[in-house]
Amino acid sequence: MTGAAPGDALLPVLLPNAGSDMPFDDAEAARLEATRAEEVSGLLSAIRRLENIVEEETAALATGQKVDFDDFSMRKSRSMLEFVRLMRARMHLGGETEITEEIHRLREKLERNRSLLEMHYDAVREVAAIIVRAIKDAESDGTYTGRAARDGK
């Protein structure tokens, strides 16, 4: 019996193998290596899918193409969720050189994407401010702004 209260969620625990003092045979070592290679490949694929989405959006922003921000946001969110889940499940792969390099490339691409998105956001905010000012000016008769006095009316 464990010290957990009824209803508590228990996490799986890796128990030592009773024969862990004995070296692996070649078949077991090959199986473990194949599993690790498959995990690395899956994680690299997830990273590259996310990179492709980010690159696609960045290229559209940089070239002035019409951008469906909802679509890109949804695709990036899904891909990022996949990446995070795979990383959590395979934390032991964090030291792999190829994965580390891919993550650094992804970070650079995300930073460029963020920079372009920020530039577009600033431009939208400026245009919105101009429109708000134009609407206020059009609706105002100058009574409370002193505009009539300045215009000589």
Side-chain angles (χ1 to χ4, degrees), residues 85-123:
R85 284 181 177 167
L86 285 171
M87 274 303 292
R88 283 184 182 153
R90 296 175 178 61
M91 287 299 286
H92 61 281
L93 299 177
E96 295 282 336
T97 305
E98 193 174 4
I99 289 174
T100 303
E101 290 171 358
E102 282 292 327
I103 290 173
H104 284 293
R105 274 194 292 278
L106 174 61
R107 179 174 288 177
E108 290 170 1
K109 290 174 183 180
L110 284 168
E111 178 55 33
R112 170 124 169 85
N113 182 261
R114 185 206 57 78
S115 176
L116 284 171
L117 284 168
E118 186 175 14
M119 183 177 66
H120 279 261
Y121 173 75
D122 290 344

PDB file of all heavy atoms in Angstrom, residues 85-123:
ATOM      1  N   ARG A  85       4.511  18.332 -25.886  1.00  0.00           N
ATOM      2  CA  ARG A  85       4.159  16.992 -25.386  1.00  0.00           C
ATOM      3  C   ARG A  85       5.269  15.986 -25.663  1.00  0.00           C
ATOM      4  O   ARG A  85       5.614  15.174 -24.812  1.00  0.00           O
ATOM      5  CB  ARG A  85       2.847  16.523 -26.003  1.00  0.00           C
ATOM      6  CG  ARG A  85       1.648  17.193 -25.403  1.00  0.00           C
ATOM      7  CD  ARG A  85       0.368  16.692 -26.027  1.00  0.00           C
ATOM      8  NE  ARG A  85      -0.790  17.297 -25.374  1.00  0.00           N
ATOM      9  CZ  ARG A  85      -2.009  17.246 -25.851  1.00  0.00           C
ATOM     10  NH1 ARG A  85      -2.258  16.620 -26.990  1.00  0.00           N
ATOM     11  NH2 ARG A  85      -2.997  17.813 -25.202  1.00  0.00           N
ATOM     12  N   LEU A  86       5.824  16.030 -26.873  1.00  0.00           N
ATOM     13  CA  LEU A  86       6.906  15.107 -27.201  1.00  0.00           C
ATOM     14  C   LEU A  86       8.149  15.384 -26.357  1.00  0.00           C
ATOM     15  O   LEU A  86       8.822  14.454 -25.911  1.00  0.00           O
ATOM     16  CB  LEU A  86       7.247  15.194 -28.693  1.00  0.00           C
ATOM     17  CG  LEU A  86       6.257  14.537 -29.635  1.00  0.00           C
ATOM     18  CD1 LEU A  86       6.579  14.869 -31.082  1.00  0.00           C
ATOM     19  CD2 LEU A  86       6.237  13.026 -29.427  1.00  0.00           C
ATOM     20  N   MET A  87       8.449  16.663 -26.144  1.00  0.00           N
ATOM     21  CA  MET A  87       9.627  16.999 -25.321  1.00  0.00           C
ATOM     22  C   MET A  87       9.437  16.519 -23.889  1.00  0.00           C
ATOM     23  O   MET A  87      10.371  15.995 -23.279  1.00  0.00           O
ATOM     24  CB  MET A  87       9.889  18.505 -25.330  1.00  0.00           C
ATOM     25  CG  MET A  87      10.725  18.988 -26.474  1.00  0.00           C
ATOM     26  SD  MET A  87      12.342  18.207 -26.623  1.00  0.00           S
ATOM     27  CE  MET A  87      13.188  18.818 -25.181  1.00  0.00           C
ATOM     28  N   ARG A  88       8.253  16.703 -23.339  1.00  0.00           N
ATOM     29  CA  ARG A  88       8.006  16.250 -21.966  1.00  0.00           C
ATOM     30  C   ARG A  88       8.138  14.740 -21.855  1.00  0.00           C
ATOM     31  O   ARG A  88       8.670  14.226 -20.886  1.00  0.00           O
ATOM     32  CB  ARG A  88       6.624  16.687 -21.499  1.00  0.00           C
ATOM     33  CG  ARG A  88       6.556  18.130 -21.131  1.00  0.00           C
ATOM     34  CD  ARG A  88       5.192  18.487 -20.579  1.00  0.00           C
ATOM     35  NE  ARG A  88       5.121  19.899 -20.280  1.00  0.00           N
ATOM     36  CZ  ARG A  88       4.019  20.590 -20.290  1.00  0.00           C
ATOM     37  NH1 ARG A  88       2.860  20.017 -20.567  1.00  0.00           N
ATOM     38  NH2 ARG A  88       4.030  21.883 -20.009  1.00  0.00           N
ATOM     39  N   ALA A  89       7.628  14.049 -22.849  1.00  0.00           N
ATOM     40  CA  ALA A  89       7.663  12.588 -22.821  1.00  0.00           C
ATOM     41  C   ALA A  89       9.067  12.050 -23.081  1.00  0.00           C
ATOM     42  O   ALA A  89       9.378  10.937 -22.683  1.00  0.00           O
ATOM     43  CB  ALA A  89       6.697  12.019 -23.851  1.00  0.00           C
ATOM     44  N   ARG A  90       9.889  12.862 -23.705  1.00  0.00           N
ATOM     45  CA  ARG A  90      11.227  12.387 -24.086  1.00  0.00           C
ATOM     46  C   ARG A  90      12.313  13.345 -23.621  1.00  0.00           C
ATOM     47  O   ARG A  90      13.211  13.693 -24.371  1.00  0.00           O
ATOM     48  CB  ARG A  90      11.287  12.203 -25.588  1.00  0.00           C
ATOM     49  CG  ARG A  90      10.302  11.105 -25.964  1.00  0.00           C
ATOM     50  CD  ARG A  90      10.115  10.840 -27.353  1.00  0.00           C
ATOM     51  NE  ARG A  90       9.222   9.765 -27.698  1.00  0.00           N
ATOM     52  CZ  ARG A  90       7.941   9.675 -27.414  1.00  0.00           C
ATOM     53  NH1 ARG A  90       7.360  10.557 -26.682  1.00  0.00           N
ATOM     54  NH2 ARG A  90       7.219   8.678 -27.853  1.00  0.00           N
ATOM     55  N   MET A  91      12.191  13.761 -22.381  1.00  0.00           N
ATOM     56  CA  MET A  91      13.162  14.715 -21.818  1.00  0.00           C
ATOM     57  C   MET A  91      14.589  14.178 -21.910  1.00  0.00           C
ATOM     58  O   MET A  91      15.536  14.943 -22.021  1.00  0.00           O
ATOM     59  CB  MET A  91      12.819  15.041 -20.363  1.00  0.00           C
ATOM     60  CG  MET A  91      11.609  15.938 -20.206  1.00  0.00           C
ATOM     61  SD  MET A  91      11.798  17.544 -20.983  1.00  0.00           S
ATOM     62  CE  MET A  91      12.918  18.313 -19.835  1.00  0.00           C
ATOM     63  N   HIS A  92      14.741  12.866 -21.886  1.00  0.00           N
ATOM     64  CA  HIS A  92      16.069  12.274 -21.957  1.00  0.00           C
ATOM     65  C   HIS A  92      16.752  12.552 -23.300  1.00  0.00           C
ATOM     66  O   HIS A  92      17.950  12.376 -23.430  1.00  0.00           O
ATOM     67  CB  HIS A  92      15.997  10.760 -21.706  1.00  0.00           C
ATOM     68  CG  HIS A  92      15.170  10.022 -22.710  1.00  0.00           C
ATOM     69  ND1 HIS A  92      13.780  10.011 -22.659  1.00  0.00           N
ATOM     70  CD2 HIS A  92      15.506   9.283 -23.795  1.00  0.00           C
ATOM     71  CE1 HIS A  92      13.313   9.301 -23.664  1.00  0.00           C
ATOM     72  NE2 HIS A  92      14.339   8.843 -24.369  1.00  0.00           N
ATOM     73  N   LEU A  93      16.004  13.040 -24.270  1.00  0.00           N
ATOM     74  CA  LEU A  93      16.578  13.351 -25.574  1.00  0.00           C
ATOM     75  C   LEU A  93      17.078  14.790 -25.650  1.00  0.00           C
ATOM     76  O   LEU A  93      17.646  15.196 -26.654  1.00  0.00           O
ATOM     77  CB  LEU A  93      15.537  13.121 -26.677  1.00  0.00           C
ATOM     78  CG  LEU A  93      15.003  11.700 -26.827  1.00  0.00           C
ATOM     79  CD1 LEU A  93      13.934  11.653 -27.905  1.00  0.00           C
ATOM     80  CD2 LEU A  93      16.131  10.738 -27.153  1.00  0.00           C
ATOM     81  N   GLY A  94      16.863  15.555 -24.592  1.00  0.00           N
ATOM     82  CA  GLY A  94      17.237  16.967 -24.593  1.00  0.00           C
ATOM     83  C   GLY A  94      18.714  17.204 -24.835  1.00  0.00           C
ATOM     84  O   GLY A  94      19.108  18.265 -25.299  1.00  0.00           O
ATOM     85  N   GLY A  95      19.536  16.228 -24.539  1.00  0.00           N
ATOM     86  CA  GLY A  95      20.977  16.387 -24.731  1.00  0.00           C
ATOM     87  C   GLY A  95      21.453  16.008 -26.118  1.00  0.00           C
ATOM     88  O   GLY A  95      22.635  16.168 -26.429  1.00  0.00           O
ATOM     89  N   GLU A  96      20.568  15.505 -26.956  1.00  0.00           N
ATOM     90  CA  GLU A  96      20.952  15.123 -28.320  1.00  0.00           C
ATOM     91  C   GLU A  96      21.373  16.369 -29.095  1.00  0.00           C
ATOM     92  O   GLU A  96      20.633  17.350 -29.166  1.00  0.00           O
ATOM     93  CB  GLU A  96      19.787  14.435 -29.041  1.00  0.00           C
ATOM     94  CG  GLU A  96      19.379  13.118 -28.450  1.00  0.00           C
ATOM     95  CD  GLU A  96      20.316  11.982 -28.832  1.00  0.00           C
ATOM     96  OE1 GLU A  96      20.997  12.081 -29.874  1.00  0.00           O
ATOM     97  OE2 GLU A  96      20.353  11.008 -28.079  1.00  0.00           O
ATOM     98  N   THR A  97      22.551  16.320 -29.704  1.00  0.00           N
ATOM     99  CA  THR A  97      23.091  17.469 -30.428  1.00  0.00           C
ATOM    100  C   THR A  97      22.168  17.925 -31.552  1.00  0.00           C
ATOM    101  O   THR A  97      21.912  19.122 -31.697  1.00  0.00           O
ATOM    102  CB  THR A  97      24.474  17.115 -31.012  1.00  0.00           C
ATOM    103  OG1 THR A  97      25.308  16.665 -29.948  1.00  0.00           O
ATOM    104  CG2 THR A  97      25.104  18.314 -31.681  1.00  0.00           C
ATOM    105  N   GLU A  98      21.657  16.985 -32.320  1.00  0.00           N
ATOM    106  CA  GLU A  98      20.796  17.347 -33.453  1.00  0.00           C
ATOM    107  C   GLU A  98      19.523  18.037 -32.978  1.00  0.00           C
ATOM    108  O   GLU A  98      19.066  19.012 -33.576  1.00  0.00           O
ATOM    109  CB  GLU A  98      20.455  16.090 -34.263  1.00  0.00           C
ATOM    110  CG  GLU A  98      19.849  16.394 -35.599  1.00  0.00           C
ATOM    111  CD  GLU A  98      19.644  15.152 -36.453  1.00  0.00           C
ATOM    112  OE1 GLU A  98      19.912  14.032 -35.985  1.00  0.00           O
ATOM    113  OE2 GLU A  98      19.193  15.323 -37.596  1.00  0.00           O
ATOM    114  N   ILE A  99      18.951  17.569 -31.891  1.00  0.00           N
ATOM    115  CA  ILE A  99      17.729  18.180 -31.354  1.00  0.00           C
ATOM    116  C   ILE A  99      18.046  19.570 -30.824  1.00  0.00           C
ATOM    117  O   ILE A  99      17.304  20.527 -31.071  1.00  0.00           O
ATOM    118  CB  ILE A  99      17.105  17.284 -30.267  1.00  0.00           C
ATOM    119  CG1 ILE A  99      16.519  16.036 -30.921  1.00  0.00           C
ATOM    120  CG2 ILE A  99      16.040  18.036 -29.474  1.00  0.00           C
ATOM    121  CD1 ILE A  99      15.988  15.000 -29.973  1.00  0.00           C
ATOM    122  N   THR A 100      19.154  19.715 -30.116  1.00  0.00           N
ATOM    123  CA  THR A 100      19.553  21.021 -29.582  1.00  0.00           C
ATOM    124  C   THR A 100      19.746  22.028 -30.710  1.00  0.00           C
ATOM    125  O   THR A 100      19.286  23.163 -30.627  1.00  0.00           O
ATOM    126  CB  THR A 100      20.855  20.885 -28.762  1.00  0.00           C
ATOM    127  OG1 THR A 100      20.634  19.930 -27.719  1.00  0.00           O
ATOM    128  CG2 THR A 100      21.269  22.211 -28.153  1.00  0.00           C
ATOM    129  N   GLU A 101      20.403  21.599 -31.786  1.00  0.00           N
ATOM    130  CA  GLU A 101      20.623  22.496 -32.928  1.00  0.00           C
ATOM    131  C   GLU A 101      19.295  22.899 -33.576  1.00  0.00           C
ATOM    132  O   GLU A 101      19.111  24.063 -33.938  1.00  0.00           O
ATOM    133  CB  GLU A 101      21.529  21.817 -33.957  1.00  0.00           C
ATOM    134  CG  GLU A 101      22.960  21.670 -33.484  1.00  0.00           C
ATOM    135  CD  GLU A 101      23.806  20.800 -34.408  1.00  0.00           C
ATOM    136  OE1 GLU A 101      23.270  20.262 -35.412  1.00  0.00           O
ATOM    137  OE2 GLU A 101      25.003  20.650 -34.125  1.00  0.00           O
ATOM    138  N   GLU A 102      18.380  21.941 -33.736  1.00  0.00           N
ATOM    139  CA  GLU A 102      17.075  22.246 -34.330  1.00  0.00           C
ATOM    140  C   GLU A 102      16.293  23.223 -33.453  1.00  0.00           C
ATOM    141  O   GLU A 102      15.625  24.118 -33.953  1.00  0.00           O
ATOM    142  CB  GLU A 102      16.254  20.968 -34.541  1.00  0.00           C
ATOM    143  CG  GLU A 102      16.659  20.163 -35.742  1.00  0.00           C
ATOM    144  CD  GLU A 102      16.358  20.835 -37.061  1.00  0.00           C
ATOM    145  OE1 GLU A 102      15.351  21.567 -37.173  1.00  0.00           O
ATOM    146  OE2 GLU A 102      17.143  20.635 -38.002  1.00  0.00           O
ATOM    147  N   ILE A 103      16.363  23.037 -32.157  1.00  0.00           N
ATOM    148  CA  ILE A 103      15.655  23.938 -31.238  1.00  0.00           C
ATOM    149  C   ILE A 103      16.242  25.348 -31.329  1.00  0.00           C
ATOM    150  O   ILE A 103      15.502  26.327 -31.322  1.00  0.00           O
ATOM    151  CB  ILE A 103      15.675  23.389 -29.796  1.00  0.00           C
ATOM    152  CG1 ILE A 103      14.785  22.146 -29.712  1.00  0.00           C
ATOM    153  CG2 ILE A 103      15.224  24.449 -28.798  1.00  0.00           C
ATOM    154  CD1 ILE A 103      14.852  21.400 -28.396  1.00  0.00           C
ATOM    155  N   HIS A 104      17.548  25.457 -31.464  1.00  0.00           N
ATOM    156  CA  HIS A 104      18.170  26.786 -31.616  1.00  0.00           C
ATOM    157  C   HIS A 104      17.729  27.441 -32.925  1.00  0.00           C
ATOM    158  O   HIS A 104      17.435  28.638 -32.958  1.00  0.00           O
ATOM    159  CB  HIS A 104      19.692  26.691 -31.540  1.00  0.00           C
ATOM    160  CG  HIS A 104      20.211  26.496 -30.165  1.00  0.00           C
ATOM    161  ND1 HIS A 104      20.110  27.451 -29.187  1.00  0.00           N
ATOM    162  CD2 HIS A 104      20.825  25.450 -29.584  1.00  0.00           C
ATOM    163  CE1 HIS A 104      20.639  27.006 -28.067  1.00  0.00           C
ATOM    164  NE2 HIS A 104      21.077  25.777 -28.274  1.00  0.00           N
ATOM    165  N   ARG A 105      17.667  26.662 -34.010  1.00  0.00           N
ATOM    166  CA  ARG A 105      17.197  27.211 -35.290  1.00  0.00           C
ATOM    167  C   ARG A 105      15.734  27.642 -35.175  1.00  0.00           C
ATOM    168  O   ARG A 105      15.355  28.699 -35.679  1.00  0.00           O
ATOM    169  CB  ARG A 105      17.353  26.181 -36.409  1.00  0.00           C
ATOM    170  CG  ARG A 105      18.728  26.186 -37.047  1.00  0.00           C
ATOM    171  CD  ARG A 105      18.737  25.412 -38.352  1.00  0.00           C
ATOM    172  NE  ARG A 105      18.556  23.985 -38.185  1.00  0.00           N
ATOM    173  CZ  ARG A 105      19.527  23.132 -37.871  1.00  0.00           C
ATOM    174  NH1 ARG A 105      20.752  23.566 -37.664  1.00  0.00           N
ATOM    175  NH2 ARG A 105      19.281  21.844 -37.756  1.00  0.00           N
ATOM    176  N   LEU A 106      14.930  26.820 -34.512  1.00  0.00           N
ATOM    177  CA  LEU A 106      13.520  27.170 -34.308  1.00  0.00           C
ATOM    178  C   LEU A 106      13.405  28.460 -33.515  1.00  0.00           C
ATOM    179  O   LEU A 106      12.605  29.337 -33.851  1.00  0.00           O
ATOM    180  CB  LEU A 106      12.784  26.033 -33.595  1.00  0.00           C
ATOM    181  CG  LEU A 106      11.337  26.309 -33.195  1.00  0.00           C
ATOM    182  CD1 LEU A 106      10.476  26.613 -34.415  1.00  0.00           C
ATOM    183  CD2 LEU A 106      10.772  25.125 -32.413  1.00  0.00           C
ATOM    184  N   ARG A 107      14.197  28.604 -32.473  1.00  0.00           N
ATOM    185  CA  ARG A 107      14.167  29.823 -31.655  1.00  0.00           C
ATOM    186  C   ARG A 107      14.491  31.060 -32.493  1.00  0.00           C
ATOM    187  O   ARG A 107      13.832  32.089 -32.374  1.00  0.00           O
ATOM    188  CB  ARG A 107      15.144  29.708 -30.490  1.00  0.00           C
ATOM    189  CG  ARG A 107      15.160  30.965 -29.630  1.00  0.00           C
ATOM    190  CD  ARG A 107      16.000  30.782 -28.428  1.00  0.00           C
ATOM    191  NE  ARG A 107      15.255  29.883 -27.549  1.00  0.00           N
ATOM    192  CZ  ARG A 107      15.703  29.441 -26.402  1.00  0.00           C
ATOM    193  NH1 ARG A 107      16.881  29.783 -25.979  1.00  0.00           N
ATOM    194  NH2 ARG A 107      14.967  28.638 -25.658  1.00  0.00           N
ATOM    195  N   GLU A 108      15.484  30.958 -33.366  1.00  0.00           N
ATOM    196  CA  GLU A 108      15.841  32.085 -34.240  1.00  0.00           C
ATOM    197  C   GLU A 108      14.687  32.428 -35.185  1.00  0.00           C
ATOM    198  O   GLU A 108      14.379  33.607 -35.400  1.00  0.00           O
ATOM    199  CB  GLU A 108      17.100  31.747 -35.040  1.00  0.00           C
ATOM    200  CG  GLU A 108      18.357  31.688 -34.189  1.00  0.00           C
ATOM    201  CD  GLU A 108      19.548  31.115 -34.939  1.00  0.00           C
ATOM    202  OE1 GLU A 108      19.416  30.773 -36.143  1.00  0.00           O
ATOM    203  OE2 GLU A 108      20.625  30.991 -34.315  1.00  0.00           O
ATOM    204  N   LYS A 109      14.062  31.410 -35.737  1.00  0.00           N
ATOM    205  CA  LYS A 109      12.944  31.640 -36.654  1.00  0.00           C
ATOM    206  C   LYS A 109      11.747  32.234 -35.917  1.00  0.00           C
ATOM    207  O   LYS A 109      11.062  33.109 -36.442  1.00  0.00           O
ATOM    208  CB  LYS A 109      12.560  30.333 -37.348  1.00  0.00           C
ATOM    209  CG  LYS A 109      13.626  29.891 -38.336  1.00  0.00           C
ATOM    210  CD  LYS A 109      13.343  28.544 -38.932  1.00  0.00           C
ATOM    211  CE  LYS A 109      14.511  28.163 -39.840  1.00  0.00           C
ATOM    212  NZ  LYS A 109      14.319  26.879 -40.468  1.00  0.00           N
ATOM    213  N   LEU A 110      11.509  31.775 -34.705  1.00  0.00           N
ATOM    214  CA  LEU A 110      10.418  32.336 -33.901  1.00  0.00           C
ATOM    215  C   LEU A 110      10.698  33.799 -33.554  1.00  0.00           C
ATOM    216  O   LEU A 110       9.772  34.619 -33.545  1.00  0.00           O
ATOM    217  CB  LEU A 110      10.214  31.517 -32.624  1.00  0.00           C
ATOM    218  CG  LEU A 110       9.499  30.179 -32.800  1.00  0.00           C
ATOM    219  CD1 LEU A 110       9.628  29.343 -31.534  1.00  0.00           C
ATOM    220  CD2 LEU A 110       8.044  30.385 -33.171  1.00  0.00           C
ATOM    221  N   GLU A 111      11.940  34.126 -33.288  1.00  0.00           N
ATOM    222  CA  GLU A 111      12.284  35.517 -32.962  1.00  0.00           C
ATOM    223  C   GLU A 111      12.060  36.423 -34.176  1.00  0.00           C
ATOM    224  O   GLU A 111      11.521  37.516 -34.045  1.00  0.00           O
ATOM    225  CB  GLU A 111      13.731  35.611 -32.476  1.00  0.00           C
ATOM    226  CG  GLU A 111      14.188  37.012 -32.154  1.00  0.00           C
ATOM    227  CD  GLU A 111      13.309  37.744 -31.145  1.00  0.00           C
ATOM    228  OE1 GLU A 111      12.746  37.097 -30.235  1.00  0.00           O
ATOM    229  OE2 GLU A 111      13.179  38.981 -31.273  1.00  0.00           O
ATOM    230  N   ARG A 112      12.448  35.982 -35.347  1.00  0.00           N
ATOM    231  CA  ARG A 112      12.216  36.775 -36.569  1.00  0.00           C
ATOM    232  C   ARG A 112      10.711  36.931 -36.801  1.00  0.00           C
ATOM    233  O   ARG A 112      10.236  38.014 -37.138  1.00  0.00           O
ATOM    234  CB  ARG A 112      12.869  36.087 -37.768  1.00  0.00           C
ATOM    235  CG  ARG A 112      12.477  36.698 -39.098  1.00  0.00           C
ATOM    236  CD  ARG A 112      13.648  37.137 -39.902  1.00  0.00           C
ATOM    237  NE  ARG A 112      13.286  37.480 -41.265  1.00  0.00           N
ATOM    238  CZ  ARG A 112      12.839  38.666 -41.646  1.00  0.00           C
ATOM    239  NH1 ARG A 112      12.689  39.624 -40.779  1.00  0.00           N
ATOM    240  NH2 ARG A 112      12.547  38.911 -42.911  1.00  0.00           N
ATOM    241  N   ASN A 113       9.965  35.854 -36.619  1.00  0.00           N
ATOM    242  CA  ASN A 113       8.521  35.882 -36.774  1.00  0.00           C
ATOM    243  C   ASN A 113       7.899  36.867 -35.786  1.00  0.00           C
ATOM    244  O   ASN A 113       7.052  37.681 -36.148  1.00  0.00           O
ATOM    245  CB  ASN A 113       7.962  34.467 -36.572  1.00  0.00           C
ATOM    246  CG  ASN A 113       6.474  34.377 -36.761  1.00  0.00           C
ATOM    247  OD1 ASN A 113       5.736  34.387 -35.786  1.00  0.00           O
ATOM    248  ND2 ASN A 113       6.031  34.272 -38.001  1.00  0.00           N
ATOM    249  N   ARG A 114       8.331  36.824 -34.537  1.00  0.00           N
ATOM    250  CA  ARG A 114       7.817  37.730 -33.509  1.00  0.00           C
ATOM    251  C   ARG A 114       8.103  39.176 -33.880  1.00  0.00           C
ATOM    252  O   ARG A 114       7.250  40.056 -33.743  1.00  0.00           O
ATOM    253  CB  ARG A 114       8.450  37.415 -32.144  1.00  0.00           C
ATOM    254  CG  ARG A 114       7.858  38.268 -31.012  1.00  0.00           C
ATOM    255  CD  ARG A 114       8.820  38.441 -29.856  1.00  0.00           C
ATOM    256  NE  ARG A 114      10.088  39.032 -30.235  1.00  0.00           N
ATOM    257  CZ  ARG A 114      10.283  40.337 -30.468  1.00  0.00           C
ATOM    258  NH1 ARG A 114       9.287  41.196 -30.383  1.00  0.00           N
ATOM    259  NH2 ARG A 114      11.472  40.791 -30.793  1.00  0.00           N
ATOM    260  N   SER A 115       9.288  39.428 -34.381  1.00  0.00           N
ATOM    261  CA  SER A 115       9.671  40.780 -34.767  1.00  0.00           C
ATOM    262  C   SER A 115       8.775  41.319 -35.885  1.00  0.00           C
ATOM    263  O   SER A 115       8.304  42.465 -35.821  1.00  0.00           O
ATOM    264  CB  SER A 115      11.134  40.777 -35.210  1.00  0.00           C
ATOM    265  OG  SER A 115      11.523  42.029 -35.678  1.00  0.00           O
ATOM    266  N   LEU A 116       8.519  40.497 -36.897  1.00  0.00           N
ATOM    267  CA  LEU A 116       7.638  40.928 -37.994  1.00  0.00           C
ATOM    268  C   LEU A 116       6.197  41.100 -37.520  1.00  0.00           C
ATOM    269  O   LEU A 116       5.513  42.044 -37.928  1.00  0.00           O
ATOM    270  CB  LEU A 116       7.707  39.938 -39.151  1.00  0.00           C
ATOM    271  CG  LEU A 116       8.967  40.025 -40.014  1.00  0.00           C
ATOM    272  CD1 LEU A 116       9.033  38.866 -40.983  1.00  0.00           C
ATOM    273  CD2 LEU A 116       9.009  41.348 -40.762  1.00  0.00           C
ATOM    274  N   LEU A 117       5.732  40.192 -36.676  1.00  0.00           N
ATOM    275  CA  LEU A 117       4.373  40.331 -36.137  1.00  0.00           C
ATOM    276  C   LEU A 117       4.242  41.619 -35.316  1.00  0.00           C
ATOM    277  O   LEU A 117       3.238  42.321 -35.410  1.00  0.00           O
ATOM    278  CB  LEU A 117       4.012  39.121 -35.274  1.00  0.00           C
ATOM    279  CG  LEU A 117       3.661  37.845 -36.028  1.00  0.00           C
ATOM    280  CD1 LEU A 117       3.603  36.660 -35.077  1.00  0.00           C
ATOM    281  CD2 LEU A 117       2.351  38.004 -36.778  1.00  0.00           C
ATOM    282  N   GLU A 118       5.260  41.917 -34.545  1.00  0.00           N
ATOM    283  CA  GLU A 118       5.242  43.139 -33.734  1.00  0.00           C
ATOM    284  C   GLU A 118       5.210  44.383 -34.626  1.00  0.00           C
ATOM    285  O   GLU A 118       4.469  45.332 -34.349  1.00  0.00           O
ATOM    286  CB  GLU A 118       6.461  43.179 -32.814  1.00  0.00           C
ATOM    287  CG  GLU A 118       6.460  44.330 -31.848  1.00  0.00           C
ATOM    288  CD  GLU A 118       7.629  44.264 -30.879  1.00  0.00           C
ATOM    289  OE1 GLU A 118       8.576  43.494 -31.099  1.00  0.00           O
ATOM    290  OE2 GLU A 118       7.591  45.008 -29.893  1.00  0.00           O
ATOM    291  N   MET A 119       5.979  44.350 -35.706  1.00  0.00           N
ATOM    292  CA  MET A 119       5.998  45.476 -36.642  1.00  0.00           C
ATOM    293  C   MET A 119       4.607  45.665 -37.262  1.00  0.00           C
ATOM    294  O   MET A 119       4.108  46.787 -37.350  1.00  0.00           O
ATOM    295  CB  MET A 119       7.034  45.230 -37.735  1.00  0.00           C
ATOM    296  CG  MET A 119       7.178  46.379 -38.704  1.00  0.00           C
ATOM    297  SD  MET A 119       8.473  46.096 -39.931  1.00  0.00           S
ATOM    298  CE  MET A 119       7.796  44.725 -40.855  1.00  0.00           C
ATOM    299  N   HIS A 120       3.972  44.580 -37.662  1.00  0.00           N
ATOM    300  CA  HIS A 120       2.625  44.660 -38.238  1.00  0.00           C
ATOM    301  C   HIS A 120       1.614  45.132 -37.196  1.00  0.00           C
ATOM    302  O   HIS A 120       0.723  45.929 -37.500  1.00  0.00           O
ATOM    303  CB  HIS A 120       2.203  43.304 -38.827  1.00  0.00           C
ATOM    304  CG  HIS A 120       2.760  43.073 -40.183  1.00  0.00           C
ATOM    305  ND1 HIS A 120       2.045  43.287 -41.333  1.00  0.00           N
ATOM    306  CD2 HIS A 120       3.987  42.673 -40.581  1.00  0.00           C
ATOM    307  CE1 HIS A 120       2.797  43.017 -42.381  1.00  0.00           C
ATOM    308  NE2 HIS A 120       3.982  42.642 -41.945  1.00  0.00           N
ATOM    309  N   TYR A 121       1.740  44.674 -35.988  1.00  0.00           N
ATOM    310  CA  TYR A 121       0.835  45.098 -34.908  1.00  0.00           C
ATOM    311  C   TYR A 121       0.975  46.602 -34.672  1.00  0.00           C
ATOM    312  O   TYR A 121      -0.030  47.316 -34.523  1.00  0.00           O
ATOM    313  CB  TYR A 121       1.150  44.322 -33.626  1.00  0.00           C
ATOM    314  CG  TYR A 121       0.388  44.800 -32.429  1.00  0.00           C
ATOM    315  CD1 TYR A 121      -0.961  44.512 -32.271  1.00  0.00           C
ATOM    316  CD2 TYR A 121       1.013  45.569 -31.444  1.00  0.00           C
ATOM    317  CE1 TYR A 121      -1.670  44.967 -31.174  1.00  0.00           C
ATOM    318  CE2 TYR A 121       0.314  46.028 -30.348  1.00  0.00           C
ATOM    319  CZ  TYR A 121      -1.023  45.717 -30.209  1.00  0.00           C
ATOM    320  OH  TYR A 121      -1.711  46.176 -29.120  1.00  0.00           O
ATOM    321  N   ASP A 122       2.215  47.098 -34.637  1.00  0.00           N
ATOM    322  CA  ASP A 122       2.439  48.533 -34.448  1.00  0.00           C
ATOM    323  C   ASP A 122       1.822  49.344 -35.579  1.00  0.00           C
ATOM    324  O   ASP A 122       1.225  50.400 -35.355  1.00  0.00           O
ATOM    325  CB  ASP A 122       3.937  48.835 -34.337  1.00  0.00           C
ATOM    326  CG  ASP A 122       4.551  48.338 -33.042  1.00  0.00           C
ATOM    327  OD1 ASP A 122       3.798  48.036 -32.088  1.00  0.00           O
ATOM    328  OD2 ASP A 122       5.796  48.228 -32.981  1.00  0.00           O
ATOM    329  N   ALA A 123       1.950  48.845 -36.813  1.00  0.00           N
ATOM    330  CA  ALA A 123       1.362  49.544 -37.961  1.00  0.00           C
ATOM    331  C   ALA A 123      -0.163  49.579 -37.861  1.00  0.00           C
ATOM    332  O   ALA A 123      -0.790  50.620 -38.112  1.00  0.00           O
ATOM    333  CB  ALA A 123       1.797  48.869 -39.262  1.00  0.00           C
TER     334      ALA A 123
END
